[in-house]
């Protein structure tokens, strides 16, 4: 346990206009969705199995969201297995997204920018400025949405092809997250 | 009739894949061979750790800290190898399937000439036989593509594609048998009868269901 003065927390947890003494955020619900484009059609695959945590302190906010690659569902089992293969999901079963905010969002902010690093398929890519919108907030919750401008190249993934035409390199990943302020602040470990 | 046991044995051999499909026998074998993959997600959230995803010890933002790791399962190269083998075999399946479609369509178009002249019959029989061989190669590569343990039920276009195989597989085998039978009958100077007479109907069923199976996959990948 690392005690944090309530006044400091009150000052820095302004994202949701909070004055409560806590600085940890837990991802309560989320939907991560990738979009793959091919001249013949567009495919979306989503996962709701991500887990995540965010910590805000004097230095800003950091968050981590991670999901099993296998949990993305595009509606076709065969395509999902292909995706798993092409993204080396056997060797690297987790995709994790780390974000850093140098400045805490103000109460009135509708959006903020974060540096995001994504670890996927055994490679790490950094997107220095990803815009996130604050969709809604309450005293203890926040819904935040952003789109990661991912490309296959960053992760050295060979684009799968359909009828000899490869899919486009650009695979935007929409990150829709619903966070809740954790009662017990930093360093309280979840049960294993 | 010495031929009957031979035909029966051949049919049993050729029908074996269908039995494999329905009883999921191959799944069982794959499961056994790769039992160590059995902790792969299927029940709840089981996450292995990507090597560098967990930051330095003590970091409050690590995968462990998220409680993501049920059993700390390592990355699984065996699963990756299985996935890659599956993709390779299915890609070959796809190419062979497209290749089979060419003589199949040609056989459909030359069916009529098989009725009129010996040379037309020869050409049609050749095209039909080529279609059958490529068809079996196609089917073989799809059936042999390994199942992935814990991958869940088949969904989407793949399900329709697989279901259609239960139509075109027996239909293709019957088409070939009926075609040879019709050929023999016609060459003996008789009209095609019994199974031989059904050849055009069965052949059309086979061709249509095959092309449908191809069609559903072409709008998918
Ligand atoms: C001989 C007839 C065929 C049979 C018995 C057959 C059967 C199958 C089966 C069982 C699968 C595996 C599905 C799964 O387990 O997820 C499959 C996949 C597939 N089949 Fe066929 N199929 C046939 C013909 C074709 C043809 C003509 C095409 C034409 C393009 C085709 C394209 C595909 C594709 C694209 C896949 C998915 C492969 C991948 O990309 O992973 N199939 N087929
Ligand atoms: C009736 C025809 C065919 C039969 C019965 C057949 C059978 C087989 C068998 C038994 C295997 C080993 C599969 C395994 O790894 O367990 C195999 C693999 C293979 N087949 Fe075929 N095949 C046929 C046609 C073809 C054709 C026409 C091609 C090429 C266009 C082809 C290309 C291959 C290749 C490259 C492999 C390697 C498999 C791998 O990398 O895992 N086959 N086939
Ligand atoms: C597998 C693909 C095949 C397809 C799609 C196919 C299709 C057809 C069709 C549609 C007809 C009827 C034409 C009409 O009534 O106008 C026909 C007739 C015929 N086919 Fe095939 N066929 C195939 C394979 C074969 C094979 C492998 C043989 C023999 C080795 C064969 C031998 C014949 C003969 C002899 C006739 C004429 C029957 C008669 O005179 O009544 N076919 N075929």
């Amino acid at each position: 346990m690392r005690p944090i003065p309530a006044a400091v927390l009150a000052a820095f947890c302004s994202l949701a206009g909070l004055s409560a003494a806590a600085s940890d955020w837990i991802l309560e619900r989320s939907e991560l969705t990738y979009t793959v484009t091919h001249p013949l059609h567009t495919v979306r695959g989503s996962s709701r199995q991500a887990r995540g945590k965010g910590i805000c302190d004097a230095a800003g906010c950091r968050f981590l969201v991670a999901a099993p690659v296998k949990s993305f569902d595009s509606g076709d089992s065969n395509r999902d297995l292909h995706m798993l293969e092409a993204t080396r999901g056997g060797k690297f079963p987790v995709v994790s997204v780390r974000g850093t905010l140098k400045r805490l969002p103000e109460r009135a902010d509708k959006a903020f920018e974060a540096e995001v690093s994504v670890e996927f398929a055994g490679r790490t890519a950094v997107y220095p400025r990803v815009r996130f919108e604050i969709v809604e907030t309450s005293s203890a919750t926040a819904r935040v949405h952003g789109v990661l401008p991912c490309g296959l190249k960053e992760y050295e993934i060979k684009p799968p092809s359909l009828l000899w035409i490869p899919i486009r390199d650009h695979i935007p990943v929409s990150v829709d997250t619903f966070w809740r302020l954790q009662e017990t602040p930093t360093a309280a470990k979840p049960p294993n | 009739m010495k031929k009957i046991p031979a035909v029966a044995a051949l049919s049993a051999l050729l029908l074996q894949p269908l039995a494999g499909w329905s009883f999921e026998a191959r799944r069982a074998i794959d499961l056994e061979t790769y039992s160590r993959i059995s902790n792969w997600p299927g029940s709840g959230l089981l996450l292995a750790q990507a090597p560098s995803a967990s930051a330095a010890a003590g970091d409050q933002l690590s995968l462990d800290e998220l409680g993501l790791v049920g059993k700390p399962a390592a990355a699984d190269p065996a699963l990756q190898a299985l996935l890659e083998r599956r993709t390779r075999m299915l890609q070959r399946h796809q190419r062979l399937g497209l290749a089979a479609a060419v003589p199949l369509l040609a056989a459909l178009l030359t069916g009529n000439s098989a009725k009129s002249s010996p040379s037309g019959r020869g050409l049609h029989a050749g095209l039909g036989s080529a279609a059958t061989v490529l068809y079996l190669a196609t089917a073989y590569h799809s059936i042999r593509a390994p199942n992935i343990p814990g991958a869940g039920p088949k969904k989407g276009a793949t399900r329709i594609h697989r279901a259609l195989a239960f139509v075109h597989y027996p239909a293709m085998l019957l088409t070939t048998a009926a075609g040879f039978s019709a050929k023999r009958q016609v060459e003996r100077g008789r009209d095609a009868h019994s199974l031989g007479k059904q050849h055009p109907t069965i052949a059309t069923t086979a061709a249509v269901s095959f092309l449908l199976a191809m069609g559903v996959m072409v709008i998918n990948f």
Side-chain angles (χ1 to χ4, degrees):
Chain A
M1 282 287 186
R2 188 163 46 125
I4 297 173
V8 175
L9 288 169
F12 288 112
C13 290
S14 53
L15 174 62
L18 296 163
S19 57
S23 65
D24 287 9
W25 294 79
I26 288 295
L27 186 64
E28 194 170 271
R29 296 193 298 277
S30 65
E31 184 160 358
L32 311 182
T33 306
Y34 67 78
T35 302
V36 161
T37 323
H38 184 275
L40 295 181
H41 66 162
T42 299
V43 173
R44 286 190 180 79
S46 315
S47 169
R48 293 183 178 192
Q49 289 188 27
R51 294 205 189 170
K53 184 175 174 179
I55 299 174
C56 294
D57 57 26
C61 284
R62 292 175 302 139
F63 58 85
L64 167 65
V65 173
V69 179
K70 159 107 185 7
S71 66
F72 285 82
D73 183 348
S74 73
D76 186 280
S77 52
N78 190 57
R79 187 163 51 217
D80 291 341
L81 285 175
H82 250 316
M83 183 277 282
L84 198 62
E85 186 261 334
T87 62
R88 302 181 283 275
K91 283 187 188 150
F92 308 103
V94 177
V95 52
S96 58
V97 179
R98 283 165 191 280
T100 310
L101 282 77
K102 294 272 157 37
R103 181 185 70 84
L104 285 165
E106 301 290 334
R107 185 196 299 249
D109 283 354
K110 292 263 186 302
F112 59 87
E113 276 184 349
E115 181 186 290
V116 175
S117 103
V118 177
E119 189 163 321
F120 178 46
R123 310 286 185 276
T124 303
V126 178
Y127 306 98
R129 292 176 65 180
V130 179
R131 187 184 153 85
F132 287 89
E133 269 161 46
I134 302 169
V135 183
E136 61 187 50
T137 54
S138 75
S139 60
T141 61
R143 183 167 165 205
V144 175
H145 176 258
V147 178
L148 308 178
C150 299
L152 294 173
K153 274 198 210 82
E154 286 110 82
Y155 305 97
E156 295 170 57
I157 294 168
K158 201 173 137 250
S161 51
L162 168 63
L163 298 178
W164 294 276
I165 310 167
I167 60 170
R168 271 183 60 190
D169 179 74
H170 185 52
I171 311 284
V173 179
S174 144
V175 179
D176 193 358
T177 53
F178 188 85
W179 300 86
R180 186 174 292 280
L181 196 63
Q182 205 185 13
E183 296 297 319
T184 44
T186 316
K189 286 203 179 223
N192 272 327
Chain B
M1 284 294 240
K2 257 197 304 191
K3 269 191 194 154
I4 290 172
V7 169
L10 185 66
S11 317
L13 193 71
L14 293 175
L15 286 169
Q16 197 200 337
L18 278 184
W21 276 332
S22 40
F23 298 125
E24 298 286 331
R26 287 197 37 68
R27 182 181 294 266
I29 293 163
D30 289 332
L31 264 175
E32 191 182 293
T33 316
Y34 293 92
S35 55
R36 62 185 220 76
I37 303 170
S38 60
N39 65 355
W40 190 244
S43 54
L45 198 64
L46 275 173
L47 282 180
Q49 226 167 325
S52 56
S54 63
D59 189 342
Q60 284 137 5
L61 282 183
S62 67
L63 293 182
D64 299 288
E65 183 65 27
L66 288 185
L68 274 174
V69 187
K71 283 179 234 166
D76 199 333
L79 173 65
Q80 189 61 31
L82 195 63
L83 285 165
E84 280 164 17
R85 199 166 98 86
R86 179 185 148 86
T87 296
R88 267 204 315 277
M89 294 218 45
L90 286 178
Q91 266 167 0
R92 216 163 287 125
H93 160 75
Q94 225 181 114
R95 285 183 202 129
L96 286 166
L98 289 170
V102 176
L104 187 68
L105 280 173
L108 204 56
L109 296 176
T110 54
N112 203 21
S113 68
K115 294 176 119 171
S116 42
S117 72
S119 66
R121 199 154 51 237
L123 176 69
H124 173 76
L127 287 167
S129 305
T132 303
V133 169
L134 282 168
Y135 176 87
L136 290 176
T138 305
Y140 179 86
H141 288 84
S142 68
I143 296 154
R144 287 294 313 220
N147 279 315
I148 304 300
K154 308 273 180 217
K155 277 195 295 190
T158 301
R159 234 183 97 217
I160 302 166
H161 180 76
R162 260 172 78 98
L164 281 165
F166 285 85
V167 179
H168 57 67
Y169 191 87
M172 277 299 286
L173 296 180
L174 276 176
T175 298
T176 314
F180 276 102
S181 158
K183 188 163 175 282
R184 213 176 315 114
Q185 290 160 359
V186 172
E187 278 166 3
R188 284 179 189 158
R190 302 170 63 183
D191 276 350
H193 56 272
S194 59
L195 183 62
K197 190 161 181 250
Q198 303 308 319
H199 169 70
T201 320
I202 308 167
T204 308
T205 309
V208 168
S209 54
F210 180 93
L211 294 174
L212 272 176
M214 193 165 108
V216 285
M217 283 326 237
V218 163
I219 50 146
N220 182 58
F221 68 90

